[in-house]
């Protein structure tokens, strides 16, 4: 009986031991991620250099640099001094756009994409165009030059635009409708 009590006491003591964390079988240093980051930085730098070289060939155009990492120029700029409104979060904009390669070869010609209605930052749209629309006023036409990470990135558009392709996008903003703060009935 004494042995049984001693055995129960030992099992109880061992059973109440707190669990120990298991060590991983292998540990990664994160070098793969570091290599990937460096590779992407190099790719972006090459794309940006190429875009700048293409812009340098067009000496008649005044290119502007956005704070978001792309370039643009006005095909048609608003001269109306009362027209100062640019789209903000939630505003609904109506626009047309076409997409070309950086060299100017059409990918989606004018009229090939339907007129688009878009609620700013509330719907899906590729990053560069989403940021570019916020720079525009009603009635303006702007051409944007986007590096691939601002366009369709690694995946492309799964149709005509391949992986890591910088693009030129010509956009005409037809209207801006301010977001309504009224509750829907």
């Amino acid at each position: 009986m004494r042995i049984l009590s001693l055995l129960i006491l030992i099992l109880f003591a061992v059973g109440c031991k707190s669990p120990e964390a298991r060590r991983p079988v292998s540990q990664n240093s994160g070098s793969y991620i570091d290599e990937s980051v460096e590779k992407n930085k190099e790719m972006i730098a090459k794309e940006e250099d190429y875009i700048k070289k293409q812009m340098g060939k067009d000496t008649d155009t005044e290119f502007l640099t956005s704070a978001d990492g792309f370039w643009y120029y006005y095909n048609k700029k608003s001269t109306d001094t009362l027209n100062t409104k640019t789209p903000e979060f939630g505003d609904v904009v109506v626009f047309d756009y076409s997409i070309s390669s950086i060299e100017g070869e059409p990918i989606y010609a004018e009229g090939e994409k339907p007129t688009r209605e878009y609620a700013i930052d509330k719907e899906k749209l590729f990053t560069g165009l989403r940021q570019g629309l916020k720079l525009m006023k009603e009635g303006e036409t702007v051409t944007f030059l986007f590096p691939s990470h601002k366009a369709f990135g690694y995946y492309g558009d799964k149709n005509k635009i391949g992986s890591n392709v910088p693009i030129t996008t010509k956009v005409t903003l037809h209207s801006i409708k301010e977001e309504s703060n009224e509750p829907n009935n």
Side-chain angles (χ1 to χ4, degrees), residues 137-167:
K137 299 173 189 161
E138 279 186 0
E140 291 185 331
T141 301
V142 178
T143 299
F144 298 98
L145 289 81
F146 298 121
S148 66
H149 68 279
K150 291 291 180 181
F152 293 93
Y154 177 76
Y155 295 104
D157 75 341
K158 298 187 171 126
N159 191 8
K160 292 184 177 184
I161 300 172
S163 177
N164 299 321
V165 175
I167 60 171

Side-chain angles (χ1 to χ4, degrees), residues 52-63 73:
K52 288 175 185 175
K53 189 181 294 182
Q54 294 301 319
M55 290 187 311
K57 292 178 180 179
D58 188 355
T59 56
D60 296 333
T61 303
E62 180 186 347
F63 290 93
Y73 63 89

Side-chain angles (χ1 to χ4, degrees), residues 66-78:
S66 82
D68 293 310
F70 57 86
W71 298 267
Y72 63 102
Y73 63 89
Y74 288 92
N75 303 82
K76 180 183 172 194
K77 188 171 179 145
S78 175

